[in-house]
Amino acid sequence: MRIFKGIAASEGLSKGKALLHVRSSMVAEKQHIMAKDVQGELQKIHKAVERSKKALEEHQGPDISAEPAEILQTHLMMLSDPEYLGQIAQYISTNLVCAQWAVEAVTESMVSLLESSSDEMLKERSVDFRDVSLHLLDALSNRSQRTVKNLTEDVILVADSLMPSELFSMDKSHILGIALDGGGRASHVAILVRAFNIPSVIALGSASQKVHDGDEIIVDGNYGEVFVRPDLTAAQNLNERYARWQAHEQELRQMIDLPTRMTDGHEVLLKANLQTVSEIGSAKEVGASGVGLFRSEFLFMDSVGGSTEEQQFEAYKEVIEAMAPLPVTIRTIDVGGDKVVPGMGIDEKNPILGWRAVRFCLSRKDIFSVQLRALLRASVYGKLQIMFPMISGVEELNAVLHLLEHVKEECRTEQIPFDPDIKVGTMIEVPSAALCADILAKKVDFFSIGTNDLIQYTIAVDRGNEKIAHLFQPFHPGVLRSLQMIVEKAHQENIPVSLCGEMASDPLCSVLLAGLGMDELSMGSQSLLQVRKILRDVSFAEAKQLADHVMEMDSYLTITTYIREWMHDRFDHFTTI
């Protein structure tokens, strides 16, 4: 038996027979050319780019969720990057070499530069450039990358490396788990295996060199361990762990039709975050109390310059009808920052603090008005709530509310029906909005706290920067005081508060958030049942006592340790799986 330890990339336990997938090295053809042949090679590059784009676009569609869609868009943008393609063209012209040679040389130069960076995120992006270059080399040589297709039995995939495009192309219906030699926490492969819900462990080192096709494998995506050819004792222990996991999953499934009511009767609504229309089924399957965040920007991912009113209307209508009579909160387009949408003209040196979200919408009212009109048209098909992101103060809120009233008046003039009682809310995700919560609460029907950005801006830490990732702390006293203040100011105006950031989906945060007075938590569907079970096992009085005690502490380290111990004392069955 061999045990490999790595990074738990996607939770779950799976066992089965190994299927080895080792990347065959692709050697680019290296030929010198004559000056008169340069134009022909440049034409080959142009055709290869178009073929590669077409191959990637085949993976797009209405069923793809947000993370895979964004990764596909990143690769498509790389294939349109004038700097990358310009360097390839220049390399051909200057060195008089064939197209394949130029693609390999330029890509290796860019990869070396990225891999030498101390920023882990940049290092991981080098994989994307390699992936894109392989598409180009395939197209130039009329070859196909090896993919795992048309499987006839369930397998555990063991690989030395995987490119995002390979994961897209694979027959995932028969892949029970993945064990990968390489990869990192920020890698696109790690993001994809979570999106595809495949138990996975990455960064195993040399597992693929020690495994043979058909070996018995157990992948533990909870603890980050992979067991190869387990002996009898280990197999028994792992079978017990697997049985506990299965029992835990079965216990969670029993939560589907139950309300999230704490032991003393206090109820917290648990809603789902959705990226695409196709995720509605997942939200309904776990008994979500509605949609707390529908990220409308995905509609703009597949179209250059935006999405038509009719396209948006149909998508909003489908979500609202499917969830009726439960409420659906749709966030207006939130582009910019780390959300890149082609054709919008957003290219800034400091995008996180730049032209993004409502700032973009107020300066592009042509796009924003179309979205508001589509939302109003769809509102008659169920219970729609409109939410504005990145509001920093009352001036911006007044501006968006004024524009909404203008679009309503247009609909009235054109006799287009819409829900006259539609609720409107704002996200609280920047410190200025938190400090002005009492002012903003007088103008809206609800608050939704976006903790991902609120933490980032409160502590002044880029959540995508691995060098300072340790500073991104949800239990920082400054963050918790902001949450407490937002809830107090909202409740003084009798409006509910939802929290839709990553904190909502973290079981460790759930009791504290309830104790702080959150009325709703909105999260990915995969986390909802776990949070529901936790909240149903404690009283609101206990949760409030926890929150009050924590608010007296002065350090996120102290708070984190205390909450972890408090939760483990009461929910040890969650930590022994």
Side-chain angles (χ1 to χ4, degrees):
M1 180 183 75
R2 296 194 69 117
I3 303 174
F4 294 90
K5 295 184 180 293
I7 295 172
S10 181
E11 69 175 16
L13 275 161
S14 58
K15 57 182 178 180
K17 301 294 185 182
L19 175 65
L20 198 58
H21 177 73
V22 179
R23 171 176 291 280
S24 56
S25 58
M26 183 175 290
V27 180
E29 180 181 341
K30 295 186 177 180
Q31 289 186 353
H32 287 284
I33 61 172
M34 304 292 289
K36 65 181 178 62
D37 298 323
V38 167
Q39 198 57 42
E41 295 302 306
L42 295 178
Q43 189 62 29
K44 287 180 184 178
I45 289 292
H46 175 74
K47 291 180 179 179
V49 166
E50 293 307 310
R51 284 183 59 188
S52 299
K53 285 181 179 178
K54 186 175 180 181
L56 287 174
E57 287 167 351
E58 288 177 355
H59 301 302
Q60 293 179 323
D63 294 333
I64 190 170
S65 61
E67 291 88 351
E70 288 176 8
I71 291 169
L72 279 174
Q73 284 298 325
T74 298
H75 286 200
L76 285 167
M77 290 175 71
M78 286 179 175
L79 286 168
S80 300
D81 183 359
E83 182 179 353
Y84 178 49
L85 298 179
Q87 285 187 33
I88 293 173
Q90 185 178 11
Y91 198 92
I92 291 171
S93 303
T94 302
N95 298 286
L96 294 178
V97 297
C98 68
Q100 286 191 45
W101 191 343
V103 168
E104 183 182 69
V106 170
T107 302
E108 287 304 316
S109 175
M110 298 184 84
V111 166
S112 297
L113 186 65
L114 290 169
E115 289 182 340
S116 66
S117 171
S118 57
D119 188 326
E120 288 300 317
M121 290 285 286
L122 288 178
K123 286 183 179 179
E124 292 294 346
R125 294 298 82 84
S126 67
V127 176
D128 296 304
F129 270 104
R130 286 196 188 278
D131 200 353
V132 167
S133 74
L134 287 173
H135 273 291
L136 290 175
L137 292 175
D138 281 342
L140 287 167
S141 60
N142 293 316
R143 290 181 293 192
S144 297
Q145 295 179 38
R146 180 186 172 186
T147 58
V148 180
K149 292 183 178 180
N150 303 321
L151 294 173
T152 56
E153 59 182 359
D154 295 341
V155 298
I156 300 291
L157 187 69
V158 182
D160 56 346
S161 65
L162 281 177
M163 295 293 177
S165 61
E166 291 179 293
L167 264 175
F168 279 115
S169 301
M170 285 178 179
D171 176 7
K172 291 175 280 295
S173 64
H174 285 293
I175 297 179
L176 301 177
I178 292 177
L180 185 62
D181 287 353
R185 295 185 192 277
S187 69
H188 278 166
V189 167
I191 293 169
L192 286 173
V193 292
R194 286 192 292 273
F196 297 142
N197 199 28
I198 303 173
S200 302
V201 181
I202 61 176
L204 290 166
S206 59
S208 68
Q209 298 173 25
K210 313 297 182 183
V211 174
H212 301 98
D213 282 338
D215 280 347
E216 187 74 26
I217 299 276
I218 296 179
V219 172
D220 188 335
N222 303 314
Y223 285 88
E225 296 176 331
V226 173
F227 301 83
V228 181
R229 299 180 296 275
D231 58 31
L232 184 59
T233 302
Q236 281 183 320
N237 291 335
L238 288 166
N239 283 336
E240 289 174 9
R241 186 189 293 186
Y242 186 76
R244 287 198 303 272
W245 170 256
Q246 291 293 86
H248 172 61
E249 289 292 288
Q250 181 61 36
E251 191 176 18
L252 291 185
R253 283 192 286 272
Q254 294 172 4
M255 299 285 112
I256 291 173
D257 297 321
L258 299 178
T260 311
R261 189 170 293 130
M262 304 176 82
T263 58
D264 51 6
H266 180 82
E267 189 167 357
V268 179
L269 296 179
L270 299 189
K271 296 182 177 180
N273 292 342
L274 304 186
Q275 285 78 238
T276 65
V277 176
S278 63
E279 295 174 86
I280 299 169
S282 299
K284 297 180 79 170
E285 284 172 8
V286 295
S289 297
V291 174
L293 170 63
F294 181 82
R295 297 180 172 99
S296 66
E297 52 273 7
F298 92 92
L299 292 169
F300 296 78
M301 295 291 184
D302 295 336
S303 57
V304 176
S307 183
T308 68
E309 179 182 327
E310 204 60 32
Q311 288 171 329
Q312 292 184 64
F313 164 69
E314 290 295 341
Y316 304 148
K317 175 187 172 187
E318 185 174 351
V319 176
I320 294 166
E321 277 189 320
M323 294 302 297
L326 298 173
V328 172
T329 302
I330 297 181
R331 181 178 68 188
T332 57
I333 181 172
D334 184 8
V335 294
D338 57 355
K339 302 181 186 76
V340 179
V341 176
M344 292 293 190
I346 301 175
D347 183 16
E348 300 181 296
K349 292 182 180 178
N350 194 357
I352 298 298
L353 296 177
W355 192 43
R356 57 173 299 198
V358 77
R359 302 170 181 179
F360 169 83
C361 289
L362 287 174
S363 60
R364 289 298 306 272
K365 293 178 182 176
D366 54 328
I367 294 174
F368 194 27
S369 295
V370 168
Q371 179 173 40
L372 293 176
R373 187 179 169 97
L375 286 167
L376 289 175
R377 288 175 57 196
S379 67
V380 297
Y381 293 93
K383 192 174 181 181
L384 169 65
Q385 298 185 157
I386 299 175
M387 179 167 67
F388 301 114
M390 196 74 181
I391 294 290
S392 62
V394 72
E395 293 82 6
E396 285 175 336
L397 182 56
N398 283 340
V400 296
L401 291 176
H402 177 76
L403 184 59
L404 177 61
E405 287 304 315
H406 176 74
V407 177
K408 283 183 179 180
E409 190 55 40
E410 283 184 347
C411 290
R412 291 188 191 102
T413 301
E414 298 175 35
Q415 296 186 329
I416 297 173
F418 64 89
D419 179 6
D421 300 318
I422 191 169
K423 290 186 177 181
V424 177
T426 180
M427 294 195 73
I428 305 293
E429 49 190 340
V430 297
S432 61
L435 292 168
C436 296
D438 57 329
I439 301 172
L440 301 178
K442 292 178 172 66
K443 294 179 171 288
V444 293
D445 300 306
F446 65 91
F447 279 165
S448 184
I449 304 174
T451 49
N452 297 350
D453 272 333
L454 184 61
I455 296 168
Q456 174 173 245
Y457 293 128
T458 299
I459 310 177
V461 53
D462 178 1
R463 55 192 167 107
N465 188 332
E466 291 286 332
K467 288 182 285 188
I468 54 174
H470 64 285
L471 296 176
F472 189 84
Q473 293 293 338
F475 294 143
H476 189 291
V479 173
L480 297 183
R481 291 182 184 192
S482 292
L483 297 181
Q484 184 182 56
M485 179 178 62
I486 294 164
V487 172
E488 287 177 354
K489 298 303 181 185
H491 287 176
Q492 284 173 12
E493 296 297 329
N494 295 312
I495 67 170
V497 182
S498 173
L499 188 144
C500 61
E502 290 297 320
M503 281 184 78
S505 63
D506 186 348
L508 198 63
C509 302
S510 54
V511 177
L512 173 63
L513 292 175
L516 287 171
M518 297 295 167
D519 302 290
E520 303 175 3
L521 299 177
S522 190
M523 64 202 72
S525 299
Q526 70 276 11
S527 304
L528 194 144
L529 294 178
Q530 176 91 306
V531 173
R532 177 171 290 161
K533 172 149 181 52
I534 290 174
L535 292 180
R536 284 179 56 87
D537 284 346
V538 296
S539 69
F540 179 63
E542 287 179 289
K544 192 173 185 311
Q545 186 178 37
L546 170 67
D548 290 344
H549 186 62
V550 160
M551 295 306 293
E552 296 176 356
M553 299 179 179
D554 61 4
S555 159
Y556 72 77
L557 290 172
T558 306
I559 294 171
T560 303
T561 301
Y562 181 80
I563 290 178
R564 194 176 296 279
E565 291 176 353
W566 193 97
M567 294 292 289
H568 285 189
D569 285 344
R570 287 158 180 79
F571 304 106
D572 55 5
H573 55 290
F574 286 118
T575 62
T576 57
I577 292 171

